[in-house]
Amino acid sequence: MARLAILADDLTAAAGCALPGLRLGARATVRLTGADRYPLDGPDVVAWDLDTRELAGAGAAARIRSAAAHPSTGDTLYLNVGSRLRRRVGSAVEAALAGSGRRVAIVAAADGTDVAGRLRATSRAQVVPVGLAALHNGGLAHAVEGRSPVILACEATTVRDLERIVAAGARVGESVVWVGSAALAASLSASVLGLPPAATPAHQRCVGPVLIVLGSLPRPSEVHLSALRSVLRVVPVEVDALALAHGGARAGRVIDEAAAVAARALRVGADTAVFAGGSAPTLGGLSPRIAAGLAGVARRALCDASAGGVVLTGGLTARAVCDALAIARIDLVGEIEHGVALGRAVDSGLDVVAKAGTFGDRLSLVRALGRSAA
């Protein structure tokens, strides 16, 4: 049973929220669909990618409820709702409470978001605003007396505020559902794990070329691709986004052609970047189809050639590629740069780097490859 269980809506968020535990010397893993076949008595931190970002409210709530009821959730359960509380935050918190059988949720964000207002607009549970002054003298414990279920919307503007909220929550006297952004995950990890800060252990990278799949459109991909091509000898493979979006026979041909080009580059040891181009800027609403198409290119390319790892940008595309490659569990083994995890796919042995599309600077992917400049 994990000491800290994290529920996140996409792969990059799950990995990012598990990283604070790794920094503290804990064992951390990300679980995807099908990961139930792995034993539960492993890592200290388990982050579940629920893949709910594109789901409607009822579908997302059902997945959260099911994951919160899982035996691996342990005593400390954390629901990640992004740096800005998402539109369905109230129903998401209710689902986590129902699944875990807990009656109290503590919600905190340090970015100035009107937490109480968002919760009241999207939840049927009782929402109690909690100011910083109430954290003293058992303020949180008093706030939950006689209420069930209850959501405590805590005021916070700094990381220090989050640390105070976590400390006060530990004195409530019962297991709660914690809800917030990655900043809260860091404060919670330090409290739960109780481990001294430790240097992230050095990890021996897998040998072989790396397949990069750029999933954030359009501008971030252009910036990262430009850096990859100017600093390293990376082979670019452009895939027609319009064809992927429309599907059918044309999409199949485009996927086959791009996969063949990528496989040829990988077979000669070249790092290879696959990305959607063409009319991509006008196809934001069709991004799931584009992500699925890019994942198809990755799967077929790696059927015909070997690679040491994959670098994935954008949560939607990262998850699609992992599903296509039948990756169900990723053990975190290092940190490329702050907030960007390096993992090892238990199923295939591939190194996996999953990065939010807009996170980092133009050289983030160069660092993710672990290469020296050409």
Side-chain angles (χ1 to χ4, degrees), residues 89-139:
V89 62
S91 59
V93 175
E94 288 180 351
L97 286 170
S100 64
R102 306 176 193 199
R103 71 181 188 95
V104 179
I106 299 176
V107 185
D111 62 356
T113 300
D114 178 13
V115 173
R118 295 283 182 89
L119 288 165
R120 284 172 172 155
T122 56
S123 173
R124 293 167 294 182
Q126 186 167 7
V127 177
V128 179
V130 179
L132 290 174
L135 299 180
H136 301 290
N137 302 318

Side-chain angles (χ1 to χ4, degrees), residues 258-277:
V261 174
R264 284 198 296 271
L266 292 171
R267 281 197 294 268
V268 298
D271 296 329
T272 305
V274 174
F275 64 100

Side-chain angles (χ1 to χ4, degrees), residues 2 48 53 77 89 126 154 192 194 207-208 212 231 249 278 287 290 294 343 358 362-363:
W48 295 85
R53 184 160 292 187
L77 176 61
V89 62
Q126 186 167 7
C154 295
V192 170
V207 176
I212 309 142
V231 178
S287 55
I290 297 173
L294 293 174
T358 57
R362 65 183 296 270
L363 295 179

Side-chain angles (χ1 to χ4, degrees), residues 224-239:
H224 288 303
L225 182 62
S226 174
L228 288 171
R229 296 180 70 177
S230 63
V231 178
L232 303 173
R233 295 190 179 93
V234 173
V235 176
V237 179
E238 183 173 352
V239 189

Side-chain angles (χ1 to χ4, degrees), residues 75-228:
D75 289 333
T76 305
L77 176 61
Y78 166 72
L79 174 66
N80 176 258
V81 290
S83 58
R84 295 186 180 277
L85 294 178
R86 302 197 181 284
R87 294 187 301 273
R88 302 184 296 267
V89 62
S91 59
V93 175
E94 288 180 351
L97 286 170
S100 64
R102 306 176 193 199
R103 71 181 188 95
V104 179
I106 299 176
V107 185
D111 62 356
T113 300
D114 178 13
V115 173
R118 295 283 182 89
L119 288 165
R120 284 172 172 155
T122 56
S123 173
R124 293 167 294 182
Q126 186 167 7
V127 177
V128 179
V130 179
L132 290 174
L135 299 180
H136 301 290
N137 302 318
L140 290 187
H142 293 320
V144 304
E145 290 178 354
R147 298 183 173 101
S148 184
V150 59
I151 304 175
L152 304 183
C154 295
E155 174 185 301
T157 56
T158 67
V159 171
R160 177 56 184 155
D161 292 340
L162 295 177
E163 293 171 351
R164 292 170 61 190
I165 291 167
V166 169
R171 297 190 294 270
V172 167
E174 61 183 278
S175 295
V176 305
V177 174
W178 292 91
V179 184
S181 63
L184 180 61
S187 298
L188 192 59
S189 296
S191 174
V192 170
L193 298 172
L195 300 171
T200 303
H203 171 65
Q204 185 66 41
R205 300 289 291 265
C206 290
V207 176
V210 175
L211 178 64
I212 309 142
V213 184
L214 299 173
S216 54
L217 299 171
R219 185 62 183 165
S221 287
E222 295 174 2
V223 171
H224 288 303
L225 182 62
S226 174
L228 288 171

